[in-house]
Amino acid sequence: MRTEKLSISLTPEAIGVIDAYRSAHAIKSRSQVIEQALRRLREDDLESAYREAAATDAAEWDATAGDGLSHEPW
């Protein structure tokens, strides 16, 4: 996987959290801890979007479920 080097500024407390998590979970680098945290943020956003979609009125889904699709067999 292609990577790009970044420079970020964090508080000593944030660095401590990263290092403690890395040690506790046998993660090789701080970068991997940050990547895992970002992945979880994306998952949380996706979960929220699914939860919001599930709460949507069924009539709204029916109106858009077939957008661009016909009922004809391929």
Side-chain angles (χ1 to χ4, degrees), residues 22-70:
R22 184 173 62 103
S23 295
H25 295 88
I27 297 174
K28 293 180 182 180
S29 70
R30 289 174 171 170
S31 293
Q32 288 177 327
V33 173
I34 300 299
E35 287 176 5
Q36 186 174 18
L38 291 172
R39 190 177 317 111
R40 288 187 180 168
L41 285 173
R42 286 191 302 263
E43 289 170 358
D44 288 350
D45 285 347
L46 185 58
E47 183 179 324
S48 295
Y50 278 126
R51 193 176 298 117
E52 183 180 322
T56 302
D57 183 23
E60 292 179 42
W61 277 106
D62 291 341
T64 60
D67 284 357
L69 302 175
S70 68

Side-chain angles (χ1 to χ4, degrees), residues 7-19 30 34:
S7 174
I8 62 172
S9 299
L10 299 171
T11 64
E13 292 81 14
I15 294 169
V17 169
I18 291 169
D19 288 342
R30 289 174 171 170
I34 300 299

Side-chain angles (χ1 to χ4, degrees), residues 2-8 31:
R2 190 179 138 233
T3 61
E4 185 173 333
K5 188 171 180 121
L6 298 177
S7 174
I8 62 172
S31 293

